[in-house]
Amino acid sequence: MTSSTYQSASQTGIYQPLADRLRPQTLQAFIGQKHLLGPKRVLTKMLEANRLYSLIFWGPPGVGKTTLARLIARQSNLQFISLSAVLDGVKAVREAVEQAKLHREQFQQGTLLFVDEVHRFNKAQQDAFLPFVEDGTFVFIGATTENPSFELNNALLSRAKVLVLRSLEEDELEQVIEHALDDLSQSDHEFLPAGESLAITPEAKQILIRAADGDARRVLNFVEQAIDFADEAEAGKWLIDRDAVMEVVQEGQRRFDKGGEAFYDQISALHKSVRGSDPDAALYWLIRMLDGGVDPRYLARRLIRMASEEIANADPKALQLALNAAESYERLGSPEGDLALAQAATYLAVAPKSNAVYMAYKACLADIKDNGSHEVPLHLRNAPTELMSQLDYGKGYRYAHDEPEAFAAGESYFPEEMAEKSYYQPVERGLEIKISAKMRHLQSLNQQSIYKRRK
């Protein structure tokens, strides 16, 4: 593909990042998002029918949200206005509205208003768009890296279709690199004098692709930086090799949004891997998050929670091991303490599973919320004073240790106004097998006691 497919490299002397200079100028040159732009896909059909509606582009950085909005405006012959929720406010929105109205009156041409990082607008700012989306003053496209369900108003969501943009695949990133090298070799750029060419070794290309982590902008920035370290293989022919890319690729480039959607997705994947008894997957997600920069203390807390929620009494050692891992991390820090977290994650994954305590907790909490605050039965109250004894506090209480098997068969410990409940239902796994057997035995003693009283 020739360089004419991309923005020309002007000789104005003004620096322009390679990623911006190579921004595609046609939808045919756009790389990625085939699930939206392929044959009979949603954006393709929308553009073919020339029936535009407001959209929310949700996806990670560097996947083409801004570029795609520009190309939609160009193909649909719309004026393109761009705002940034980081830099602009309601005043800028009003100005964009006036500009759109004036443009429609003077040129009979519609407007596409693109708002980057739209999730950073507050509720009032988001509401400012609604009347003009409804009356067709402009077609609205918002871009966000955060989950729209949590970050955008329902009113705005109801007026726009959410489209998920995906990270670029390895073969798509390879296309981006090849297009960049092709353009650099054919055009008179400040990066490369006219008549000279640029190539990259397969190994270096793979390093860049892995380091870019699905981000086209990042991979182009790497290429731009690596040019400074390229060797002249022969006259006028420059080569980017492994050493050149290692100068610009740093550790910790994996995508990890510490407070956003990727964060919660990966936490969910770790938890579900533990629940699913897959130690390898649990280890993968744990280390992926550690490598991405998540606070190990947060992971330690989540592992403790998993021990109670997913394992509990099926293996009480799981909770202790999770606590020990958290304590070990506090003593050692990273990277030594990370190994203790890995040990805990793998143990939790292979431990016998039971959510019996978790389900009992939720059922009991629901009952308490539904039934209010019942009084504590008199026989369960302590009587530390003479007055309380006179009021029958503690009267009739049976001290379990004085009973056979240290169990007061037939005794009730629930409020008198409330029927006895059976919240905790142990599973037939791990230690809960024995707990279940013990509970059945105690239940039979209760039944015998009730039978004797009735006789």
Side-chain angles (χ1 to χ4, degrees), residues 24 58 76 130 150 177 190 192 223-224 244 289 304 326 337 366-367 376 379 394 396 401 419 428 446 453:
W58 173 27
S76 305
L130 301 180
F150 304 136
I177 294 173
E190 61 198 51
L192 202 67
V223 170
E224 179 178 344
M289 297 180 78
I304 293 170
D367 264 358
V376 177
H379 72 281
H401 291 285
E428 295 300 311
N446 277 332
R453 287 205 303 269

Side-chain angles (χ1 to χ4, degrees), residues 122-135:
N122 60 34
K123 184 180 186 300
Q125 290 169 317
Q126 291 181 31
D127 286 345
F129 297 113
L130 301 180
F132 310 106
V133 171
E134 287 187 340
D135 68 12

Side-chain angles (χ1 to χ4, degrees), residues 429-445:
R429 290 185 293 275
L431 183 62
E432 283 198 327
I433 294 173
K434 293 184 177 180
I435 294 174
S436 181
K438 177 66 179 291
M439 289 178 65
R440 286 194 298 270
H441 173 64
L442 297 179
Q443 222 169 23
S444 89
L445 294 179

